[in-house]
């Protein structure tokens, strides 16, 4: 029996639906090539929308089943690739009925804003506290700073800034961020009808919420944008990697061995989405002895976790990743977050605030340069 033609195979693939979008993969431009060999083996190359597509096994199984039903097919080979940024943009425009997505200013090649995604492998390591205090410290150093609370489920940034009950102003389709202690702040918590309303969204909606806070908010000319990511390596971390490819990741951990091991995964995630790790911050490093003074360190959560994460990620990713600082335990760091008065603002002379000031200077102190950036200029005609 003669093998099927490539057109027949393509027609059969029209019955395969993308598991998440629920449209034929042929209509979505996911079928890159179909090759039918003389021996009846059909090779199909399918482009996934994202590299870490959780439904790729389902897509592989459905494609194999659809092609195998054709007469003359002796075998099916599925090769999975990944769409380019341009192909994904075209798909998104298609899904929106031909309307292109609003532009994210920080994803432009000529953007001079430094974007840092604050990540952690697990919750409870003080990632949000670090984000808030770094933002305030950078603002105190004269930088224009924005904070985007990307922790959709566990948004705590508004309360830590003391603006939990504030609502952003909307100008037509443009959202104005809420100012707090010299920092521009936006959070999904500010966009909910009620403060106590629970957010129960899944992947695609989470991505749209992130895009809205990046594209619909008028951030102005920022020197630095900090994103407080949810703990772990889930949907938001992937979306940030896709939407803000130039963002650098800062990994927050505690000295504890278990926390450090999990934190390494957050750093490795950055490589998977082609982002660079800017450094590691060790929080809750030690308690300065109340009797002997700060030279006597009481290591409540162990020691060396931050250094280990930096060393491991440096070896794993192939470039030096610094330990940016070790923040000591200070009860005022916690209480300042509860009261909406960040430590870096309320008690800037404390040891913990001084470490945070030093980290802020390392990250924000370098001038925004043009090296390696495309300016969108073209030669003038002669």
């Amino acid at each position: 029996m003669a093998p099927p033609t490539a057109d027949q195979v393509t027609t059969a693939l029209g019955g395969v639906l993308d598991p998440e979008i629920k449209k034929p993969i042929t209509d979505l431009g996911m079928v890159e090539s179909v090759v039918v060999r003389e021996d009846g083996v059909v090779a199909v190359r399918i482009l996934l929308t994202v590299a870490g597509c959780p439904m790729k096994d389902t897509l592989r199984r459905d494609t194999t089943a659809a092609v195998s039903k054709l007469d003359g097919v002796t075998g099916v080979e599925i090769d999975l690739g990944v769409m380019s940024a341009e192909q994904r943009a075209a798909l998104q425009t298609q899904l929106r009925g031909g309307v292109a997505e609003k532009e994210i200013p920080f994803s432009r090649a000529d953007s001079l804003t430094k974007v840092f995604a604050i990540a952690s492998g697990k919750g409870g390591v003080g990632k949000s506290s670090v984000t808030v205090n770094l933002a305030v410290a950078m603002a105190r150093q004269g930088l224009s700073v924005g904070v985007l609370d990307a922790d959709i489920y566990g948004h705590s940034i508004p309360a830590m800034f003391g603006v939990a009950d504030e609502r952003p102003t909307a100008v037509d389709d443009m959202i104005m961020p809420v100012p707090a202690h010299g920092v521009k702040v936006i959070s999904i918590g500010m966009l909910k009808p009620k403060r106590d309303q629970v957010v129960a969204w899944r992947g695609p909606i989470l991505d749209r919420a992130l895009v809205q806070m990046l594209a619909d908010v008028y951030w102005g000319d920022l020197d630095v944008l900090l994103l407080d990511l949810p703990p772990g390596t889930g949907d938001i971390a992937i979306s940030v990697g896709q939407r803000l490819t130039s963002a650098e990741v800062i990994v927050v951990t505690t000295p504890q061995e278990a926390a450090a091991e999990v934190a390494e995964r957050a750093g490795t995630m950055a490589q998977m989405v082609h982002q660079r790790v800017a450094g590691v911050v060790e929080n809750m490093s030690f308690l300065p002895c109340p009797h002997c003074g700060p030279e006597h360190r009481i290591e409540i959560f162990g020691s060396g976790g931050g250094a280990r994460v930096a060393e491991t990620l440096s070896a794993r990713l192939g470039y030096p990743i610094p330990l940016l600082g070790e923040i000591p335990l200070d009860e005022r760091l916690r209480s300042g977050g509860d009261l909406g008065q960040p430590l870096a603002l309320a008690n800037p002379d404390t040891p913990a605030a001084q470490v945070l000031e030093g980290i802020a200077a390392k990250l924000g102190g370098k001038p925004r340069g043009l090296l390696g950036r495309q300016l969108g200029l073209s030669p003038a005609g002669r």
Side-chain angles (χ1 to χ4, degrees):
M1 181 178 297
T5 64
D7 288 342
Q8 289 175 318
V9 174
T10 302
T11 300
L13 292 174
V16 178
L17 303 182
D18 179 90
E20 295 177 305
I21 303 176
K22 303 301 182 184
K23 291 181 178 292
I25 59 175
T26 49
D27 292 350
L28 299 175
M30 297 175 65
V31 179
E32 184 178 54
S33 64
V34 173
V35 177
V36 182
R37 300 176 190 156
E38 294 182 357
D39 60 359
V41 175
V42 178
V44 180
R45 178 170 172 78
I46 296 176
L47 299 180
L48 302 174
T49 53
V50 294
C53 177
M55 304 299 289
K56 60 183 178 182
D57 290 337
T58 301
L59 191 58
R60 184 191 297 271
R61 184 184 64 247
D62 293 349
T63 301
T64 300
V67 177
S68 298
K69 294 178 181 179
L70 294 175
D71 294 335
V73 173
T74 59
V76 181
E77 296 178 357
I78 307 297
D79 180 28
L80 298 179
V82 182
M83 285 185 173
S84 65
E86 292 77 12
Q87 289 170 319
R88 278 196 298 270
L91 172 61
Q92 291 164 0
T93 300
Q94 175 190 343
L95 294 178
R96 293 185 178 91
V99 179
E101 183 181 15
K102 291 185 178 180
E103 183 180 49
I104 297 174
F106 311 110
S107 65
R108 289 172 52 95
D110 59 354
S111 172
L112 296 178
T113 301
K114 289 186 285 189
V115 181
F116 296 105
I118 317 297
S120 69
K122 62 189 293 294
V125 299
K127 170 181 53 59
S128 297
S129 295
V130 169
T131 302
V132 169
N133 281 278
L134 283 181
V136 170
M138 288 178 177
R140 281 169 47 86
Q141 293 168 7
L143 298 178
S144 176
V145 185
V147 171
L148 191 158
D149 188 357
D151 193 347
I152 304 296
Y153 299 137
H155 43 272
S156 56
I157 293 294
M160 289 185 172
F161 271 109
V163 291
D165 295 320
E166 299 289 333
R167 292 293 179 267
T169 301
V171 180
D172 293 332
D173 293 331
M174 184 179 297
I175 302 172
M176 308 302 291
V178 175
H181 308 307
V183 179
K184 298 176 180 179
V185 184
I186 200 70
S187 169
I188 200 67
M190 299 172 172
L191 304 176
K192 298 187 304 180
K194 297 180 180 179
R195 181 176 174 180
D196 60 354
Q197 181 176 336
V198 176
V199 176
W201 295 340
R202 302 184 69 179
I205 301 180
L206 291 175
D207 181 71
R208 287 200 291 272
L210 176 66
V211 170
Q212 181 183 19
M213 290 189 289
L214 287 168
D216 290 353
V217 172
Y218 180 71
W219 292 101
D221 184 21
L222 294 182
D223 293 303
V224 180
L225 175 67
L226 301 179
L227 287 87
D228 184 41
L229 300 186
T233 56
D235 291 320
I236 288 293
I238 295 173
S239 291
V240 169
Q242 294 170 345
R243 303 292 183 179
L244 299 169
T245 55
S246 62
E248 296 184 80
V249 174
I250 299 170
V251 179
V252 179
T253 185
T254 62
Q256 187 177 359
E257 182 75 13
E261 181 178 354
V262 178
E264 292 167 7
R265 302 173 195 164
T268 305
M269 178 69 182
Q271 184 186 43
M272 294 175 62
V273 293
H274 309 294
Q275 290 177 319
R276 185 177 181 85
V277 177
V280 177
V281 174
E282 183 182 275
N283 195 25
M284 310 179 199
S285 293
F286 61 93
L287 177 68
C289 180
H291 305 292
C292 308
E295 64 275 2
H296 180 200
R297 297 163 53 129
I298 303 175
E299 296 172 336
I300 296 176
F301 296 109
S303 64
R308 173 194 153 179
V309 173
E311 180 180 354
T312 299
L313 290 178
S314 296
R316 186 175 297 173
L317 304 184
Y319 55 88
I321 296 173
L323 175 60
L324 296 170
E326 298 173 317
I327 305 172
L329 280 162
D330 191 324
E331 188 273 337
R332 288 166 293 188
L333 183 62
R334 188 274 310 162
S335 63
D338 291 343
L339 297 173
Q341 292 291 322
L343 182 72
L345 178 69
N347 303 98
D349 296 327
T350 58
Q354 289 295 302
V355 174
L356 287 159
E357 289 275 356
I359 298 172
K362 292 176 184 177
L363 295 173
K366 297 179 181 179
R368 300 187 297 177
L370 302 179
L371 182 62
R373 295 189 182 276
Q374 299 180 19
L375 302 182
L377 303 178
S378 59
R382 293 183 178 178

